[in-house]
Amino acid sequence: IQMTQSPSSVSASVGDRVTITCRATQGINSRLAWYQQKPGKAPNLLIYAASSLQSGVPSRFSGSGSGTDFTLTISSLQPEDFATYYCQQANSFPHTFGQGTRLEIK
Amino acid sequence: QVHLVEFGGGVVQPGRSLRVSCAASGFIFSRYGMQWVRQAPGKGLEWVAVVSHDGTVQYYADSVKGRFTISRDNSKNTVSLQMNSLRAEDTAMYYCAKERDEYSSSSLDPWGQGTLVTVSS
C-alpha cells in the first residue's frame, strides 16, 4: 500500500488553519496514524485510528477520513507546530508512511 | 512512564553486520508488538520490521527482507535488529517503537531517541 501526502510543504502563519491530506492506494479502513517530527527528534504520535486524539496532544489537532482518503487539520497554528508531519497506514504490513509534509513559518 | 532506549549503532563497512537493540521499561513488555523504523539523513520515515508480542510473528520491508532479522527477549525487555550484508543505503537513524495497543498491530507510541547506523568504507 502506497501512501501519498499533499502538499509536500506548506507555509503558514501563527493562527492559520492548515489541512494536510493523505491518500492510500487501497482501502485501509480507519487504520491510519499521524505523527509530528521536529528536527533532531523522534516522531510523536498525534492521531490514531484516523480520528482519535492521542493523550496529551492539544485539541487543535484533528483527523478525519476512512477508506483511502484522510486529513489532518490544525485549527489554529501555534509556534511549536512548525514541524514535519507523516501519515502511516496500520492496516497491513508493511506499515508504510507517507513522504511527509513540511510545515514552515510564512 | 514508558521509556525506550536504542543502542548498538555505529560505523560499519559495506557487507558487514551490526546488531542494534532497544531496552524497554515502564510497561508490560510481553503484551506489545515492537517495531523498527529508520530515517536516512534528510529523508522521510521508512518502516523496517515488526515482531509480535510473543516473538512468533515477524514482518519485514522488502528492502531488508533476507538481510535483517528482528527478535525480542521478553525476559530482558529488549528487542533487537540483526542487520547483515549492510549496504550504503542502510545508513540511517534507527528508531524502535512500541505499538500503541496491546496484542494488536497498531500505531506507534512512544518512540525511542534512535541509534545512528552508518555504512561506509
Side-chain angles (χ1 to χ4, degrees):
Chain A
I1 300 174
Q2 306 298 319
M3 306 300 293
T4 302
Q5 289 180 230
S6 61
S8 295
S9 65
V10 57
S11 296
S13 301
V14 173
D16 283 354
R17 178 184 181 92
V18 171
T19 297
I20 299 169
T21 66
C22 181
R23 175 166 288 176
T25 53
Q26 63 188 75
I28 58 171
N29 300 301
S30 294
R31 298 182 66 81
L32 184 100
W34 289 98
Y35 302 90
Q36 177 192 67
Q37 187 180 33
K38 296 181 179 179
K41 300 294 187 181
N44 182 50
L45 178 66
L46 299 174
I47 301 287
Y48 65 96
S51 60
S52 297
L53 192 67
Q54 174 68 357
S55 175
V57 175
S59 59
R60 62 181 180 273
F61 291 92
S62 64
S64 64
S66 66
T68 61
D69 294 313
F70 302 86
T71 60
L72 172 70
T73 299
I74 310 172
S75 60
S76 179
L77 277 172
Q78 299 301 301
E80 61 267 29
D81 299 338
F82 292 95
T84 301
Y85 294 84
Y86 294 92
C87 64
Q88 183 199 26
Q89 65 86 13
N91 190 62
S92 62
F93 289 112
H95 282 188
T96 40
F97 289 90
Q99 81 278 16
T101 295
R102 185 175 179 180
L103 177 52
E104 301 174 318
I105 301 174
K106 183 182 289 184
Chain B
Q1 176 182 355
V2 176
H3 203 45
L4 301 173
V5 178
E6 301 95 334
F7 56 95
V11 180
V12 60
Q13 294 178 329
R16 303 299 291 266
S17 298
L18 192 68
R19 184 180 184 91
V20 293
S21 297
C22 171
S25 60
F27 63 104
I28 302 174
F29 185 71
S30 60
R31 293 185 179 179
Y32 293 86
M34 297 294 294
Q35 301 190 17
W36 287 94
V37 176
R38 69 184 181 182
Q39 186 169 36
K43 302 297 184 182
L45 301 173
E46 180 186 13
W47 183 85
V48 174
V50 60
V51 61
S52 61
H53 65 97
D54 57 2
T56 60
V57 178
Q58 304 88 28
Y59 290 100
Y60 300 92
D62 286 345
S63 57
V64 307
K65 199 174 296 181
R67 299 188 299 123
F68 289 13
T69 302
I70 189 172
S71 61
R72 64 188 295 157
D73 185 337
N74 284 349
S75 68
K76 296 181 179 179
N77 287 6
T78 59
V79 57
S80 297
L81 188 68
Q82 176 67 40
M83 302 182 289
N84 299 332
S85 303
L86 282 162
R87 307 166 180 167
E89 54 265 35
D90 296 318
T91 294
M93 183 70 78
Y94 284 75
Y95 296 102
C96 79
K98 165 188 162 291
E99 290 185 344
R100 182 186 179 279
D101 301 325
E102 58 183 24
Y103 304 123
S104 174
S105 171
S106 64
S107 51
L108 301 174
D109 179 72
W111 300 50
Q113 86 288 348
T115 188
L116 183 62
V117 173
T118 302
V119 183
S120 174
S121 55

